[in-house]
Amino acid sequence: MENLEKSKNTAIVAYLTIIGAVIAIFMNQEENRSDFGSFHIRQALGLFLSFFLLGYFVGYANSWTVTSAFYLFYFILWIYGFSGALQGQKRELPLVGKLFQNTFKSL
């Protein structure tokens, strides 16, 4: 039970900010490593990195509707992942979850 609580805490911290994702990586080191924590770290890190990478290019669109749709899309993905971490479920993010799991499989 204690291990599940530690891994849930790691997963929740991973979704807080990009710095939270980095902190969660250190929280999920060798002796405290959990599959649940690693899963959500990969999802959150991929979400934040893709947000910054794609957000850079969306900023050049100079369109209120494109920017708003982009923020709304990522906010919904963040809520989906964060709620999965709170509930103790391993749910991949729609459209991009499998890509994040494959890209960051070493975490």
Side-chain angles (χ1 to χ4, degrees), residues 13-27 45 48 52:
V13 168
Y15 283 102
L16 295 180
T17 61
I18 186 86
I19 296 169
V22 172
I23 290 171
I25 290 171
F26 288 110
M27 289 172 66
L45 186 63
F48 288 124
F52 290 126

Side-chain angles (χ1 to χ4, degrees), residues 10-18 20-21 24 39-41 43-45 47-48 77-78 80-85 91 93:
T10 302
I12 290 167
V13 168
Y15 283 102
L16 295 180
T17 61
I18 186 86
F39 175 84
H40 282 286
I41 289 170
Q43 295 289 298
L45 186 63
L47 188 64
F48 288 124
L77 287 180
W78 182 85
Y80 186 82
F82 188 68
S83 66
R91 298 184 301 197
L93 296 173

Side-chain angles (χ1 to χ4, degrees), residues 82-106:
F82 188 68
S83 66
L86 287 174
Q87 295 171 359
Q89 298 175 347
K90 289 168 77 175
R91 298 184 301 197
E92 286 185 349
L93 296 173
L95 304 174
V96 292
K98 188 174 283 293
L99 173 69
F100 296 157
Q101 290 299 317
N102 292 333
T103 303
F104 301 114
K105 60 182 141 189
S106 65

